[in-house]
């Protein structure tokens, strides 16, 4: 499933060359970028993308869940590095 998000990033970038993305497309772009950043363990960037998604659709639970998972995983990784 993640591969589909990663492939879509290029599609969103291409579409932005021709016109501004609507809110739904921007939301999906931020989710895709957040997941891509998460996969690369770029947690600060990942959190920023998920937060931007929450601003577009504040009642949608998906970006909040992804944000929480990112924070938890970041803390787990930090604890692993410390110990």
């Amino acid at each position: 499933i993640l591969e589909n998000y990663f492939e879509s990033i290029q599609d969103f970038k291409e579409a932005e060359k021709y016109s501004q993305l609507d809110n739904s497309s921007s939301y999906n772009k931020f989710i895709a970028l957040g997941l891509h950043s998460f996969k690369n363990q770029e947690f600060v960037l990942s959190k920023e993308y998920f937060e931007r998604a929450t601003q577009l659709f504040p009642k949608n639970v998906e970006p909040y869940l992804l944000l929480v998972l990112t924070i938890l995983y970041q803390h787990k990784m930090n604890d692993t590095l410390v110990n």
Side-chain angles (χ1 to χ4, degrees), residues 1 12 29 31 33 36 42 48 50 52-54 72-73 81:
I1 294 174
F12 290 124
K29 179 185 83 170
I31 294 295
L33 289 166
H36 183 72
E42 298 171 327
E48 290 175 12
F50 295 142
R52 290 179 74 179
T54 65
L72 290 173
Y73 196 81
L81 292 175

Side-chain angles (χ1 to χ4, degrees), residues 3 9 11 18 37 45 54 66 71:
E3 290 80 20
I9 292 171
D11 294 337
Y18 302 103
S37 299
L45 188 57
T54 65
L66 293 169
I71 292 167

Side-chain angles (χ1 to χ4, degrees), residues 37-52:
S37 299
F38 181 88
K39 182 180 179 220
N40 291 327
Q41 297 185 1
E42 298 171 327
F43 302 117
V44 172
L45 188 57
S46 181
K47 289 188 291 189
E48 290 175 12
Y49 287 129
F50 295 142
E51 287 170 356
R52 290 179 74 179

Side-chain angles (χ1 to χ4, degrees), residues 2-68:
L2 290 178
E3 290 80 20
N4 294 338
Y5 277 110
F6 302 146
E7 291 175 14
S8 69
I9 292 171
Q10 290 306 108
D11 294 337
F12 290 124
K13 288 181 180 181
E14 187 65 26
E16 285 179 312
K17 290 180 184 178
Y18 302 103
S19 66
Q20 184 176 356
L21 296 176
D22 61 18
N23 281 351
S24 295
S25 296
S26 293
Y27 170 86
N28 286 320
K29 179 185 83 170
F30 293 137
I31 294 295
L33 289 166
L35 289 169
H36 183 72
S37 299
F38 181 88
K39 182 180 179 220
N40 291 327
Q41 297 185 1
E42 298 171 327
F43 302 117
V44 172
L45 188 57
S46 181
K47 289 188 291 189
E48 290 175 12
Y49 287 129
F50 295 142
E51 287 170 356
R52 290 179 74 179
T54 65
Q55 292 170 0
L56 290 171
F57 293 101
K59 293 184 180 182
N60 189 340
V61 71
E62 178 186 36
Y64 293 106
L65 290 173
L66 293 169
L67 186 56
V68 168

